């Protein structure tokens, strides 16, 4: 039988030392990361969220949950709801319809960077079975951490000239990392010192205790604000079986890339020498690494957990070895029997990603429009026909045919916009994400794009500018279903989804500072089918005024 799982949460700032340096984190019920939600497919999650932040609003997005029939519970400020004010309580009530590894996080300003995140794990329904077997499981929620507050980061990003937030000080595994020391200092020839941890500190790594000759499931999700990651387990192969809540055709790797917004399950077998322990390492990929590897230990019971591995930690592929990144991505294919994409698209939207300047402010723009979120959340304004709530100019479907994606833009200026891509209900939409050169010559960055309210099929990746003939190479046989997909430097990525979920949905770069600088678009479909939106989601902007007028009339 399906259950409703009740949670009462309070979001508040608290002192914490995620990387052994005390700072302030945004925690939930005194915990950082927030509490793990565990449920079964078909269950209803009921979170009564009270904002205990003294002076700022908050929302929580349930990343990977499609919110079918509950678009107001998607937790995106200015899109699905008004931010919850200090002292107020908002109820998130939604169904988790599909088993998988998910997480939740703040979706307002830079609150994810402030530490507002946690795991959401959906097990298969009572009478269902996973298509693989294992003896035990662990959960790794990965994130990155700065010593500057998220408020200072926001001011820095919004300044003229922009001050970039820089690379994170520390990578965190389950909210724990070590700043300025390494568990494996004895293997490095740099001056790094050996961490002195007794195990009771907030930053002490969570060790994975395993029995020999068993198979374990590792659930992994990346909530990083910026970093692209690579995970490896010393001496152990991993079999990748799930991505973003969808089963994959299993494949074996010795290390794997994980971009912000992605989740995976891998299986590994404890078939190594049991008198030793092994490293689990998280390293930076895709940006010049200035952040040391994060480490924890795979401990073979009954070997002492404090015995450090006698080999150096795994070495990740070089940060700019995109060949290795592409090769990993190309192995991700849907498990046989998974839903297949419709053969034809009804509409194809091509989205050029550029870094721009608007009056000297550094921004990211999509087809030359940098997203600014309106004061009235779109879901309410579209549902109730409040036409002045956002730009009614349709955002562009494409970009200039003579644009050279391999060079800095000849005209680096762009415009602000809050327009919406209105999708016809139940139609098939292709999105081609087109990467380009950033402001500086010879720079093009990785961007993991995340879609709310849907999974999409990843039909293919290519280099250079997308051409109509590239669709001949789309994988129509077993493309993976996902909610996040990366664009590689100077490349394109082709996605297909069916606009079958009434609501308004963000589609954006999951690098939090990039979204903050405008790197996203908004899709809306079937909004007239949306049932009564709770008033608590509407109490701001023009919908707030509408509610007040209704009371008075
Ligand atoms: O948005 C960004 O800005 C910086 C750099 O381009 C300018 O400082 C960077 O690395 C980003 O990803």
């Amino acid at each position: 039988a399906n259950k409703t799982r009740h949670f009462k949460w309070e979001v508040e700032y608290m002192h914490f030392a995620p990387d052994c340096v005390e700072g302030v984190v945004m925690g939930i019920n005194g915990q950082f990361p927030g509490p793990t939600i565990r449920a079964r497919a078909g269950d209803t999650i009921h979170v009564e969220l009270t904002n205990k932040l003294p002076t700022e609003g908050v929302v929580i997005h349930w990343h990977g949950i499609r919110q079918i029939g509950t678009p107001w519970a998607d937790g995106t400020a200015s899109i699905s709801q008004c931010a919850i004010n200090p002292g107020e309580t908002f109820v998130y009530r939604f169904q988790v319809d599909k088993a998988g590894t998910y997480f939740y996080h703040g979706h307002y300003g830079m609150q994810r960077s402030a530490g507002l995140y946690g795991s959401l794990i959906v097990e298969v329904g009572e009478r269902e079975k996973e298509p693989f077997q294992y003896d035990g499981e662990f959960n790794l929620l990965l994130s990155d951490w700065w010593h500057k507050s998220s408020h200072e980061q926001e001011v820095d990003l919004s300044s003229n000239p922009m001050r970039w937030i820089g690379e994170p000080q520390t990578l965190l595994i389950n909210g724990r990392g070590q700043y300025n020391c390494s568990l494996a200092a004895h293997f490095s020839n740099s001056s790094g010192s050996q961490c002195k941890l007794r195990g009771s500190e907030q930053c002490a790594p969570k060790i994975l205790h395993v029995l020999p000759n068993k198979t374990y499931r590792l659930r992994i999700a990346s909530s990083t604000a910026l970093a692209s990651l690579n995970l490896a387990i010393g001496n152990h192969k991993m079999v990748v079986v799930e991505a973003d809540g969808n089963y994959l055709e299993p494949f074996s790797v010795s290390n794997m890339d994980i971009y912000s917004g992605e989740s995976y399950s891998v299986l590994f077998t404890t078939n190594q020498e049991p008198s030793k322990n092994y490293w689990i390492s998280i390293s930076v990929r895709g940006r010049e690494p200035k952040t040391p590897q994060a480490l924890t230990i795979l401990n073979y019971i009954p070997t002492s957990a404090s015995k450090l591995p006698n080999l150096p930690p795994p070495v990740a592929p070089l940060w700019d070895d995109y060949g290795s990144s592409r090769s990993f991505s190309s192995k991700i294919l849907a498990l046989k029997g998974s839903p297949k994409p419709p053969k034809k698209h009804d509409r194809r939207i091509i989205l050029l990603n550029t870094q721009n300047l608007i009056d000297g402010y550094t921004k990211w723009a999509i087809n030359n429009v940098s997203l600014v979120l309106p004061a009235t959340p779109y879901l309410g304004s579209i549902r109730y026909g409040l036409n002045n709530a956002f730009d009614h100019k349709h955002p562009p479907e494409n970009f200039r045919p003579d644009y050279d994606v391999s060079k800095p833009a000849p005209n680096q200026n762009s415009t602000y916009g809050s327009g919406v891509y209105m999708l016809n209900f139940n139609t098939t939409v292709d999105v081609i994400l087109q990467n380009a050169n950033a402001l500086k010559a010879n720079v093009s960055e990785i961007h993991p794009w995340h879609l709310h309210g849907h999974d999409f099929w990843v039909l293919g990746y290519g280099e250079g500018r997308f051409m109509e003939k590239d669709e001949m190479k789309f994988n129509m046989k077993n493309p993976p279903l996902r909610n996040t997909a990366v664009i590689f430097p100077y490349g394109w990525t082709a996605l297909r989804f069916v606009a079958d979920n009434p609501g308004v949905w963000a589609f954006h770069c999951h690098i939090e500072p990039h979204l903050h600088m405008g790197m996203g678009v908004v899709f809306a479909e079937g909004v007239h089918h949306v049932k009564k939106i709770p008033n608590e989601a509407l109490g701001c902007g023009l919908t707030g005024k509408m509610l007040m007028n209704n009371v008075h009339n």
Side-chain angles (χ1 to χ4, degrees):
N2 294 336
K3 286 194 184 135
T4 300
R5 306 204 182 238
H6 288 267
F7 301 88
K8 248 189 173 135
W9 284 2
E10 294 185 345
V11 177
E12 62 190 330
Y13 281 117
M14 58 191 203
H15 289 115
F16 215 82
D19 62 353
C20 310
V21 178
E22 195 181 72
V24 167
V25 303
M26 207 174 267
I28 299 174
N29 292 355
Q31 287 173 247
F32 168 77
T36 296
I37 293 182
R38 255 186 192 272
R40 281 188 184 277
D43 286 354
T44 295
I45 307 294
H46 178 113
V47 178
E48 222 180 290
L49 189 89
T50 301
N51 179 1
K52 292 269 178 171
L53 305 169
T55 58
E56 69 189 284
V58 74
V59 292
I60 290 188
H61 169 57
W62 314 92
H63 186 112
I65 307 300
R66 291 169 295 171
Q67 301 292 353
I68 298 166
T70 52
W72 52 79
D74 194 42
T76 42
S78 281
I79 299 173
S80 63
Q81 71 171 108
C82 300
I84 308 161
N85 282 320
E88 289 184 348
T89 299
F90 183 85
V91 175
Y92 287 102
R93 193 183 167 90
F94 56 90
Q95 200 183 33
V96 287
D97 60 314
K98 195 154 57 75
T101 304
Y102 305 102
F103 62 111
Y104 61 83
H105 59 79
H107 212 297
Y108 190 29
M110 296 282 287
Q111 291 183 344
R112 185 153 50 91
S113 163
L116 186 55
Y117 42 76
S119 295
L120 199 180
I121 291 168
V122 183
E123 294 168 5
V124 289
E126 246 161 323
R127 271 174 290 277
E128 293 170 307
K129 262 201 167 130
E130 304 271 15
F132 43 81
Q133 286 180 348
Y134 49 97
D135 303 302
E137 73 168 66
F138 297 97
N139 181 41
L140 300 183
L141 179 60
L142 310 177
S143 59
D144 44 9
W145 184 246
W146 281 258
H147 290 164
K148 254 191 195 178
S149 75
S150 58
H151 294 115
E152 198 167 346
Q153 291 180 330
E154 285 188 10
V155 176
D156 285 354
L157 294 171
S158 320
S159 295
N160 183 356
M162 184 265 285
R163 298 193 200 173
W164 177 238
I165 64 167
E167 304 306 311
Q169 269 68 61
T170 312
L171 300 179
L172 307 180
I173 306 175
N174 292 334
R176 292 152 178 260
Q178 288 80 45
Y179 178 67
N180 240 351
C181 72
S182 169
L183 295 175
H186 55 297
F187 289 110
S188 73
N189 22 12
S190 70
S191 58
S193 63
Q194 182 79 34
C195 300
K196 292 182 196 70
L197 292 161
R198 293 180 305 274
S200 55
E201 292 89 345
Q202 287 171 338
C203 60
K206 280 253 164 62
I207 291 169
L208 279 59
H209 304 283
V210 294
L211 292 168
N213 297 312
K214 301 271 183 208
T215 296
Y216 291 90
R217 176 182 195 166
L218 203 52
R219 295 179 181 269
I220 309 148
S222 173
S223 176
T224 58
L226 175 66
S228 302
L229 303 174
N230 183 269
L231 172 138
I233 311 176
N235 289 40
H236 293 72
K237 287 260 181 194
M238 300 178 282
V239 177
V240 187
V241 292
E242 181 223 328
D244 301 354
N246 295 293
Y247 295 122
L248 301 180
E249 202 54 48
F251 64 99
S252 174
V253 289
S254 55
N255 68 77
M256 61 187 292
D257 289 336
I258 305 157
Y259 301 100
S260 179
E262 292 187 332
S263 65
Y264 288 98
S265 284
V266 303
L267 304 177
F268 67 94
T269 301
T270 47
N271 53 10
Q272 296 299 303
E273 171 54 49
S275 64
K276 292 181 185 164
N277 292 326
Y278 300 88
W279 295 114
I280 296 177
S281 67
I282 307 292
S283 317
V284 172
R285 299 273 278 118
R287 302 182 62 94
E288 220 169 321
K290 295 188 176 114
T291 313
Q293 204 174 34
L295 294 171
T296 187
I297 284 165
L298 182 70
N299 164 237
Y300 273 57
I301 298 167
T303 303
S304 161
S306 54
K307 184 173 173 183
L308 289 176
N310 64 354
L311 290 170
V315 178
L318 286 178
W319 72 272
D320 57 353
D321 178 359
Y322 296 112
S324 150
S325 316
R326 283 193 195 93
S327 152
F328 178 71
S329 296
S330 71
K331 291 177 188 150
I332 300 171
L333 299 167
L335 182 64
K336 206 176 274 143
S338 303
K340 289 208 169 143
K343 292 211 167 58
K344 289 199 176 102
H345 62 280
D346 299 303
R347 180 170 173 189
R348 180 171 286 164
I349 302 170
I350 304 188
L351 300 177
L352 175 70
N353 291 233
T354 54
Q355 194 184 27
N356 298 77
L357 289 168
I358 304 184
D359 302 328
Y361 294 90
T362 303
K363 298 288 166 187
W364 290 87
I366 305 307
N367 293 347
N368 222 32
V369 180
S370 184
L371 180 66
V372 276
L373 291 171
T376 310
Y378 294 103
L379 182 63
S381 60
I382 297 175
R383 178 71 182 77
Y384 298 109
L386 305 171
N387 291 321
N388 298 326
F390 59 93
D391 288 353
H392 276 261
K393 214 176 121 204
H394 291 291
E397 294 285 294
N398 207 333
F399 58 97
R400 285 173 41 181
D402 60 347
Y403 190 93
D404 184 350
V405 300
S406 69
K407 299 217 171 68
N411 173 6
Q412 304 193 322
N413 209 352
S414 74
T415 48
Y416 293 115
S418 62
V420 174
Y421 289 91
M422 300 286 179
L423 309 177
N424 289 329
F425 190 47
N426 277 333
T427 56
T428 300
V429 179
D430 277 10
V431 175
I432 312 292
L433 289 165
Q434 177 68 60
N435 210 341
N437 200 98
L439 282 172
K440 219 170 114 194
N442 302 313
V443 175
S444 182
E445 299 182 355
I446 279 206
H447 301 284
W449 276 76
H450 172 61
L451 177 60
H452 292 229
H454 310 77
D455 287 337
F456 49 67
W457 288 274
V458 184
L459 299 184
Y461 301 89
E463 291 178 50
R465 188 188 169 119
F466 176 80
M467 310 282 219
E468 286 301 318
K469 67 169 167 35
D470 286 322
E471 74 175 351
M472 310 292 284
K473 291 178 286 185
F474 284 174
N475 173 12
M476 299 302 292
K477 197 175 131 245
N478 56 358
L481 271 170
R482 304 206 63 165
N483 60 55
T484 304
V486 74
I487 42 173
F488 293 112
Y490 301 108
W492 54 262
T493 300
L495 315 174
R496 180 167 291 180
F497 68 96
V498 180
D500 57 1
N501 190 9
V504 184
W505 308 108
F507 180 49
H508 61 89
C509 176
H510 209 262
I511 291 177
E512 198 173 43
H514 289 177
L515 172 59
H516 201 68
M517 295 156 84
M519 197 168 200
V521 297
V522 177
F523 293 142
E525 72 218 36
V527 177
H528 54 286
H529 292 297
V530 172
K531 293 203 213 95
K532 193 183 171 339
I533 304 170
N535 285 350
E536 291 71 27
L538 300 170
C540 62
L542 298 180
T543 46
K545 283 203 181 119
M546 175 189 80
L547 291 177
M548 283 209 301
N549 291 336
N550 290 352
V551 169
H552 289 288
N553 294 343

